[in-house]
């Protein structure tokens, strides 16, 4: 049976706002739950019901779910900065893990048992083998990854003990924006590589490269970039996928690695200008190489990437970056 009502936590954030739009466009009724600590009111789709609520506020959270009565929850809300998590581990465990625990408890209270959870490649830490398969042990090397790994484990218990159907998507490096250039990434502060390069290009300043002595071909970290719209598609497929009483984790990546320097070169081609580089120390908590194997999502969910090329992700990010800068400068 097709689901109709979906609650999206973190619907004021980058991926959550695009997922909300996609759900609404496909005829779902959507409730957004967000505390607006990092997301933006302007990013919340006007067609969605909005509840300003912190996942740590258990009473309000339960009340919000009760009032909307969704059939499933897509859980994006989280703090996502590796560096910040290294400096404030307790903040990450409280916000990401305890917030998720509250959400699961409140879902159980309200008889909602289907959840799609935003996990991360950071759960693998520094993986033994590349590309990374879902069966790799979870061994996070920073508190951000730890908060997500712990949530996955708790979700697994909910699937075993409380008949939850849980999908965890382990995102690799999410990039790009809506292809029409009207919605995308606006983190404050921005720390992600592609928007940082675009910002440097716009300002005519050098982009900081964190570490050039990693065991990689050019010494800079290698990451697997996946288009945000492809990521959103996977969530829609997971909602339609009839799994019950089951936990399933999937990698979502493009199965190709690009070093920081390669991403800078690719951005230079898209923006048509040279971008200067400033070499910096390594950033704490960064594993050298993360590349996904994502065949499981294709095999089980029928996930097909529409935008696998890095240059398309950069082009879409650039369109958004320009429109965002024009409107909010
Ligand atoms: N990075 C960089 N300069 C920046 C931002 C990021 O060199 O201004 C590097 C970062 O150290 C990592 C890679 O780019 O090796 C991707 O970082 P990002 O924050 O985009 O995503 P993460 O891999 O941490 O999820």
């Amino acid at each position: 049976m097709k689901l109709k009502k979906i609650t999206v936590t973190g619907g004021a954030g980058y991926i959550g706002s695009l997922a909300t739009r996609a759900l609404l466009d496909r005829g779902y009724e959507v409730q957004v739950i967000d505390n607006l600590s990092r997301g933006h009111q302007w990013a919340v789709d006007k067609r969605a019901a909005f509840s300003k609520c912190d996942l740590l506020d258990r009473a309000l959270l339960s009340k919000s779910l009760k009032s909307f009565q969704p059939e499933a929850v897509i859980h994006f809300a989280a703090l996502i900065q590796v560096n910040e998590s290294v400096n404030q581990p307790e903040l990450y465990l409280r916000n990401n893990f305890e917030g998720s625990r509250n959400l699961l408890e409140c879902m159980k209270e309200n008889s909602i048992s289907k959840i799609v959870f935003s996990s991360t490649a950071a759960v693998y830490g520094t993986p033994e083998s590349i590309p990374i398969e879902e069966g790799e042990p979870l061994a996070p090397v920073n508190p951000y990854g730890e908060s997500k790994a712990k949530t996955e484990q708790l979700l697994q218990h909910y699937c075993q003990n409380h008949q939850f159907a849980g999908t965890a998507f382990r995102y690799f490096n999410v990039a790009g924006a809506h292809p029409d250039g009207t919605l995308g990434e606006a983190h404050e502060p921005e720390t992600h590589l592609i928007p940082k390069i675009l910002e440097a290009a716009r300002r005519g300043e050098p982009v900081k490269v964190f570490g050039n002595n990693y065991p990689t071909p050019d010494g800079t970290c290698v990451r697997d970039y996946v288009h945000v719209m492809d990521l959103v598609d996977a969530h829609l497929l997971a909602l339609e996928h009839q799994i019950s009483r089951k936990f399933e984790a999937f990698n979502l990546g493009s199965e190709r690695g690009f070093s920081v320097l390669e991403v800078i070169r690719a951005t230079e081609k898209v923006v048509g200008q040279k971008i200067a580089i400033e070499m910096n120390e390594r950033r704490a908590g960064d594993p050298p190489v993360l590349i996904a194997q994502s065949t499981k999502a294709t095999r089980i969910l029928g996930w097909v990437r529409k935008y696998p090329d890095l240059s398309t992700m950069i082009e879409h990010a650039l369109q958004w970056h320009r429109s965002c800068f024009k409107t909010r400068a």
Side-chain angles (χ1 to χ4, degrees), residues 173 191-193 196 208-210 221 223 260 283 286:
N173 286 60
T191 60
H192 288 131
L193 181 61
K196 288 303 273 186
K208 291 186 174 150
V209 173
F210 298 129
C221 287
R223 294 288 181 272
V260 173
R283 201 174 64 172
D286 276 344

Side-chain angles (χ1 to χ4, degrees), residues 55-303:
L55 299 187
L56 293 171
D57 185 344
R58 213 180 163 295
L60 183 59
L61 180 58
S62 190
K63 203 172 141 201
S64 300
L65 290 175
K66 196 178 181 144
S67 70
F68 187 68
Q69 307 234 319
E71 294 149 303
V73 174
I74 309 186
H75 176 31
F76 294 103
L79 297 174
I80 56 157
Q81 288 175 36
V82 169
N83 207 32
E84 185 181 53
S85 82
V86 172
N87 296 324
Q88 299 181 72
E90 62 296 331
L91 174 70
Y92 272 67
L93 289 173
R94 190 157 50 82
N95 192 83
N96 292 0
F97 175 66
E98 285 172 27
S100 301
R101 188 174 60 195
N102 274 348
L103 177 65
L104 291 170
E105 281 173 11
C106 291
M107 285 175 64
K108 185 164 160 275
E109 253 167 44
N110 288 283
S111 308
I112 308 155
S113 58
K114 190 160 180 133
I115 178 165
V116 181
F117 169 59
S118 302
S119 188
T120 169
V123 295
Y124 296 116
T126 306
E128 297 274 302
S129 57
I130 298 288
I132 309 165
E133 293 178 20
E134 287 85 352
E136 267 298 298
L138 302 194
V141 294
N142 54 59
Y144 167 62
E146 200 185 319
S147 71
K148 293 285 186 175
K150 281 185 73 169
T151 305
E152 275 199 28
Q153 278 152 7
L154 183 66
L155 178 53
Q156 213 163 343
H157 292 306
Y158 266 75
C159 293
Q160 270 156 19
N161 303 333
H162 306 303
Q163 286 75 48
F164 269 48
T167 304
F169 282 131
R170 296 175 184 156
Y171 304 163
F172 281 65
N173 286 60
V174 190
H178 195 284
D180 73 4
T182 58
L183 195 55
E185 191 166 9
H187 299 113
E188 283 170 17
E190 188 54 77
T191 60
H192 288 131
L193 181 61
I194 294 173
K196 288 303 273 186
I197 303 172
L198 292 173
E199 188 184 300
R202 177 170 54 79
R203 295 191 167 157
E205 289 171 0
V207 61
K208 291 186 174 150
V209 173
F210 298 129
N212 63 351
N213 55 358
Y214 283 98
T216 60
D218 66 20
T220 65
C221 287
V222 171
R223 294 288 181 272
D224 176 340
Y225 294 85
V226 56
H227 197 293
V228 65
M229 298 313 293
D230 285 335
L231 203 83
V232 164
D233 272 351
H235 293 71
L236 298 176
L237 290 168
L239 283 182
E240 298 306 330
H241 189 70
Q242 296 301 320
I243 43 168
S244 55
R245 297 186 208 186
K246 214 171 157 199
F247 172 84
E248 206 71 71
F250 298 92
N251 288 339
L252 295 180
S254 288
E255 305 192 307
R256 278 197 65 189
F258 293 92
S259 73
V260 173
L261 294 181
E262 284 173 328
V263 177
I264 296 172
R265 266 176 239 127
T267 311
E268 283 179 334
K269 281 202 188 124
V270 173
V271 298
Q273 86 188 62
K274 190 102 192 94
I275 300 162
I277 287 168
E278 181 192 303
M279 278 302 169
N280 277 249
E281 291 299 301
R282 288 180 177 198
R283 201 174 64 172
D286 276 344
V289 182
L290 291 172
I291 303 171
Q293 198 198 88
S294 323
T295 42
K296 184 177 172 188
T298 303
R299 196 176 69 245
I300 298 182
L301 300 174
W303 186 54

